[in-house]
Amino acid sequence: MLKPQLPQSPPASPTLVPLAKPSSQGNGGEIKEVASPAAIEKSLSVKAVVTVKSSAGGLFSEIGILGGVNMITDLVGRTLLLELVSAEVDPKTGQEKGTIKGYAHKKSQSTEEATYEHEFEVGEEFGEVGAILVENEHHKEMYLKDIVLEGFVGGPVNITCNSWVHSKFDNPQKRVFFTNKCYLPTETPSGLRRLREEELVILRGDGQGERKSYERIYDYDVYNDLGDPDSGVDKKRPVLGGQELPYPRRCRTGRPRCKTDPQSESKSSSIYVPRDEEFSTIKELTFSAKTVYSVVHAVLPSLETAIVDTDLGFPNFTAIDELFNEVGDVPMLTKQGFLKDLFPRLVKTVADATEDVLRFETPETMKRDKFFWFSDEEFARQTLAGINPYTIQLVTEWPLRSELDPKIYGPPESVITTEIIEREIKGFMTVDEAIKQKKMFMLDYHDLLLPYVNKVRQLKGTTLYGSRTLFFLTPDETLKPLAIELTRPPTVDGKPQWKQVFTPSCHSTGMWLWRLAKAHVLAHDSGYHQLVSHWLRTHCATEPYIIATNRQLSEMHPIYKLLQPHFRYTMEINALARGNLINGDGIIETTFSPGKYSMELSAVAYDKQWQFDLQGLPNDLISRGLAMEDPTEPHGLKLAIEDYPFANDGLLLWDIINEWVTGYVNHYYPDSTRIVSDMELQSWWTEIRTVGHGDKKDSLGWPDLKSPSDLIHIITTIVWVASGHHAAVNFGQYTYAGYFPNRPTIARTKMPVEDPTEEELKIFWDKPEDTLLHCFPSQIQATKVMAVLDVLSNHSPDEEYLGQYPELAWTEEPAINVAFERFNERLKEFDGIIDARNTDQSFKNRNGAGIVPYELLKPFSEPGVTGKGVPYSISI
């Protein structure tokens, strides 16, 4: 842990002593800019080197996916106007000192970047350089990587930009870039205070008009752009956000309202995000969001062309297995040959075929055990070590009861009886003993889903139940499934409530009913995973943090510099999701059980379940009964299930993050006074609570921000959500759901014993496999999801992993650099600890014959679909 840094004066500026005798002439006779003619004798020559990166549009324009310009070509012969800004005011007048201006010209160029240079003459009286103003003289925007000022005896001054700079012809306002030094608001050098405040005003905007693509304005809006009511009344979707359906806020775009529904925002070909939130560079391949775009707009239409019957299911399990050989000729793929280069895992050239075909990689789970998905033990194990380890909870009350209104939803009592459970436990203990000893656990989707059952059943090709699934913790720390209860409420046509319990069985009828019941529960779990554990709790909940950070914290603020790596590219991937994945008739609606009610369901979950303090892992585990506070245990918690791979690894990662954040925060905030007096910080936290998550502002779970420990808890929680939480629910998706019978996203048919017709019963009795196959996703639904999950599970070659490399600003502060090195070392140790745990045969939930080791929280990874790696941010 770092020692607290006491208040002190800003460090002295670099000694203004020239490295070489100044000259009044630059290269080629160019006249250098000077601060004052009288200061030439006491000035030094300072060279500004500006690095400009090639645009992300270059590659895509070449392969035809997206429009874009090759920036480097456009830069030839153009210039940049630079203005050095002193950190100090004039001691005589108390006014800001004049800037030193100069035009930087291109000096070198490669395929990926160009450099611009200019030499300034800086007078001794100018003082420390605190910022630089930039005006882009080109007709197109450009991406500035950094600016280095060389020539000071104390070493170069680094200014990290990583920002798009608009053309002066689009906006005459100059851009300001501050040096990498951190300042709390009250410590801001006097010459920079106005610029610091004005920059935040610019980023907030005025809340008016439609945003332009080159702007950097951060503002809030509700989710009113998921539907498309102007295309038809059935395309309308409810507004998420507000009293009726509380929801986090998204970034405001200002697009016009729909003609047929003034509450909804109209569609557009692209969705605005602040310019610096977009992907900036390409190293080896595209960033993942662009790949998702390409899957949605090229691969999926190709699938729809090849699979004409959207209701067609799989005739047998052999047909499912053949997905990993080939789907067949997909005509559009041959027309867009670039796809093979972008998706080598999907588009394969078959030796005896003349054209490319679509073929899926065999998931690691299936490679190790072709029948892994059939096992009850694996079904249970994945609640602890799969891609949705966030829903298993302890049973604390018996008998089970619904909290919904019995007048609407029927009798609240569960039909899972004591007799059923004790029969399944097989004499281990009574139900009362099991609950007292914390041996009973549950997946509970009953009260969340039951209000939507009748609505969903009005939709074509899907069905729904409320469900509960009970498990028993055996002496070897594995879970044994005991029973599944499926419930249908009273129907609009007068049918009474229907509910039934299904248990594992050795008899053929009971065995197939159990398999069908599991398929329904897995569809419920898949929907909750995607809509709540993944989208809502990571992507959606994080966007308000990003907006508030940019609106209220200056780039000079140490907390801004701490958080910024954890926010990279999240807003762009969220915008892409709104346009293609979670939108009306998008991937989620057409392939998951809740259909068009999917996003509305996530809003209900936000209203009923989301609390800020429960987003941190320790409190999440405690709230689900999976842990209790115990200062004698590692991490201060005693787990109810000791072999809980997600919790075991997650708590260690949480502690590592917390140690890093603690050292960082205590360095800048040694006492509570600094926290309370930091108006930027207080405004940031207030805006998150009352605006970004304003629909929950009066809910429980919001910590105060009055002390360093408060700030440490808040930051650690935000960092955990963006890194560990997201990695745990995202990067194993293809591994566990790529073979869709293991995690079907939709159950298309009801149980054959619910009000069955003669034909339904005959099919079930004659060939129950057909009943299960018809319940599974259709061919087009399954292949769509598989294609998207393959991309979502992928790490790009330039992935930025948690703690792998520091931000430049961290390295320039010695104490922070030391703390980061400790952070990096602990993560490397953590990587080895996971390897050791995965080879320890006493941990039956993370290893064994045919079992994929639990690696989802291993911090680092190679590119590709690896089932491991924790990036800094939610970038896919």
Side-chain angles (χ1 to χ4, degrees), residues 342-470:
L342 283 179
F343 314 116
R345 286 173 49 86
L346 290 179
V347 185
K348 305 294 174 70
T349 300
V350 180
D352 58 352
T354 57
E355 296 182 334
D356 292 336
V357 298
L358 190 68
R359 178 165 60 184
F360 293 95
E361 286 284 322
T362 304
E364 185 65 23
T365 42
M366 197 180 175
K367 285 181 182 177
R368 288 173 177 254
D369 180 358
K370 185 176 180 179
F371 303 104
F372 78 104
W373 66 280
F374 229 49
S375 158
D376 285 350
E377 290 75 16
E378 182 65 8
F379 168 60
R381 189 189 74 85
Q382 287 181 29
T383 66
L384 305 174
I387 55 174
N388 192 27
Y390 269 102
T391 52
I392 188 80
Q393 59 182 277
L394 182 70
V395 176
T396 58
E397 295 180 353
W398 193 265
L400 301 173
R401 287 177 59 89
S402 169
E403 295 181 2
L404 298 174
D405 186 349
K407 294 178 182 178
I408 300 174
Y409 300 105
E413 295 81 12
S414 169
V415 290
I416 303 178
T417 64
T418 298
E419 292 73 23
I420 290 173
I421 296 303
E422 291 183 350
R423 184 185 72 218
E424 294 301 316
I425 292 177
K426 302 186 189 312
F428 268 111
M429 58 185 68
T430 66
V431 167
D432 288 342
E433 289 171 336
I435 292 175
K436 188 178 296 183
Q437 295 180 34
K438 299 184 177 181
K439 300 293 185 184
M440 287 259 286
F441 296 86
M442 175 170 59
L443 291 180
D444 186 3
Y445 299 122
H446 187 277
D447 285 9
L448 179 66
L449 296 182
L450 201 63
Y452 282 86
V453 169
N454 285 329
K455 294 179 183 179
V456 169
R457 287 186 172 211
Q458 298 299 312
L459 305 176
K460 179 185 176 184
T462 184
T463 193
L464 195 64
Y465 293 100
S467 70
R468 297 185 181 100
T469 307
L470 264 63

Side-chain angles (χ1 to χ4, degrees), residues 68 94 139 240 252 270 285 462 465 495 501 635 645 722-723 782 838 873:
H139 284 275
L240 305 185
R252 179 185 177 277
S270 62
L285 292 175
T462 184
Y465 293 100
K495 292 180 181 177
V501 178
H635 322 295
S723 57
N838 284 334
S873 65

Side-chain angles (χ1 to χ4, degrees), residues 814-839:
I816 298 300
N817 191 44
V818 169
F820 179 83
E821 289 176 353
R822 164 72 174 162
F823 183 41
N824 175 264
E825 285 301 317
R826 286 206 65 192
L827 287 168
K828 291 176 180 176
E829 293 170 3
F830 175 51
D831 194 274
I833 289 170
I834 291 177
D835 288 338
R837 287 173 173 175
N838 284 334
T839 57

Side-chain angles (χ1 to χ4, degrees), residues 187-218:
E187 297 173 344
T188 308
S190 54
L192 303 177
R193 288 174 187 164
R194 178 184 61 83
L195 287 175
R196 179 173 185 149
E197 294 170 2
E198 288 182 355
E199 177 71 355
L200 287 174
V201 171
I202 291 169
L203 291 169
R204 292 172 194 144
D206 60 6
Q208 302 298 313
E210 184 171 0
R211 297 273 66 85
K212 298 178 177 62
S213 61
Y214 60 80
E215 292 179 325
R216 299 180 302 126
I217 293 175
Y218 294 78

Side-chain angles (χ1 to χ4, degrees), residues 674-812:
R674 286 191 157 203
I675 295 284
V676 175
S677 63
D678 187 337
M679 290 300 99
E680 284 187 10
L681 189 70
Q682 293 297 328
S683 296
W684 168 77
W685 184 233
T686 298
E687 186 165 291
I688 286 173
R689 292 185 350 259
T690 63
V691 184
H693 283 276
D695 293 344
K696 302 278 284 188
K697 65 179 184 295
D698 298 321
S699 301
L700 299 174
W702 292 109
D704 293 327
L705 181 50
K706 297 179 179 178
S707 68
S709 61
D710 292 338
L711 182 57
I712 289 164
H713 170 64
I714 291 167
I715 298 296
T716 302
T717 299
I718 291 173
V719 170
W720 163 259
V721 168
S723 57
H725 180 150
H726 181 257
V729 299
N730 183 73
F731 291 105
Q733 290 190 89
Y734 192 76
T735 301
Y736 284 100
Y739 186 72
F740 72 84
N742 183 57
R743 289 188 65 80
T745 58
I746 188 171
R748 295 191 294 155
T749 57
K750 62 183 177 64
M751 292 292 291
V753 290
E754 181 207 335
D755 302 332
T757 64
E758 289 186 12
E759 182 182 1
E760 288 170 342
L761 278 179
K762 185 177 189 315
I763 293 172
F764 176 67
W765 282 99
D766 290 350
K767 196 172 183 183
E769 179 183 326
D770 285 356
T771 302
L772 180 60
L773 287 165
H774 193 54
C775 183
F776 278 160
S778 67
Q779 291 190 28
I780 187 62
Q781 288 170 330
T783 50
K784 271 187 178 182
V785 170
M786 290 166 68
V788 172
L789 293 187
D790 184 90
V791 173
L792 295 183
S793 304
N794 189 71
H795 289 295
S796 65
D798 43 7
E799 191 82 86
E800 298 176 65
Y801 295 100
L802 182 70
Q804 188 173 29
Y805 302 112
E807 296 294 293
L808 187 58
W810 301 345
T811 66
E812 293 186 8

